[in-house]
């Protein structure tokens, strides 16, 4: 409970670079034992699954001070894209962790400053 972690896994994990160029060889991305985390991706039911996981995170692990969404929406298998229900996610965060800052490109706390520190 004394530490927090931020994990963002992608091509740069395999190139050891901070920023990619977009020209990296696809063969470099070679994780083992990973596939998409839900067969519901690309359906409205995925938002229910996501909200269930988010609720567990927000209610089962003490104070959360920051929730970060990277807004990635790459095409999944068969070219399916997920329509994320960000307003619903934000509502859950405010309900269970009202002092947490929310980062999202178009979200309520894009500055990344924790709610307790923001001027209201």
């Amino acid at each position: 409970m004394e530490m927090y972690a931020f994990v963002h896994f992608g091509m740069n994990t395999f190139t050891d670079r901070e920023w990619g160029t977009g020209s990296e060889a696809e063969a470099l991305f070679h994780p083992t034992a990973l596939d998409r985390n839900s067969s519901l991706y690309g359906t409205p039911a995925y938002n229910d699954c996501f909200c269930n996981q988010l609720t567990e995170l927000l209610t089962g692990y003490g104070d959360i001070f920051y929730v970060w969404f990277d807004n990635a929406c790459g095409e999944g298998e068969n070219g399916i894209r997920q329509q994320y229900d960000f307003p619903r996610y934000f509502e859950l965060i405010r309900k269970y962790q009202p002092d947490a800052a929310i980062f999202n490109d178009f979200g309520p706390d894009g500055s990344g400053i924790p709610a307790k520190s923001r001027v209201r």
Side-chain angles (χ1 to χ4, degrees):
M1 297 301 288
E2 295 178 8
M3 297 189 181
Y4 289 87
F6 173 81
V7 179
H8 193 255
F9 184 78
M11 181 60 90
N12 296 351
T13 301
F14 301 96
T15 61
D16 197 27
R17 293 183 178 165
E18 178 67 22
W19 298 100
T21 64
S23 62
E24 294 84 3
E26 290 179 19
L28 291 175
F29 190 83
H30 188 58
T32 59
L34 298 175
D35 296 305
R36 183 161 308 280
N37 65 349
S38 176
S39 62
L40 300 174
Y41 184 81
T43 71
Y46 180 81
N47 285 309
D48 295 332
C49 177
F50 189 92
C51 285
N52 289 338
Q53 291 178 335
L54 187 58
T55 298
E56 178 186 337
L57 172 69
L58 298 171
T59 61
Y61 300 95
D63 290 341
I64 304 292
F65 65 89
Y66 195 73
V67 180
W68 187 85
F69 296 98
D70 71 359
N71 298 315
C73 191
E75 293 186 9
E77 294 178 20
N78 302 319
I80 297 171
R81 294 179 60 93
Q82 179 63 40
Q83 296 298 313
Y84 297 107
D85 191 352
F86 285 114
R88 186 173 166 199
Y89 306 164
F90 299 161
E91 184 179 331
L92 280 174
I93 296 164
R94 292 293 187 240
K95 177 180 179 181
Y96 295 117
Q97 297 284 340
D99 291 327
I102 303 170
F103 175 81
N104 181 283
D105 285 349
F106 52 86
D109 304 327
S111 67
I113 298 170
K116 288 182 180 178
S117 303
R118 289 193 310 263
V119 176
R120 296 178 192 241

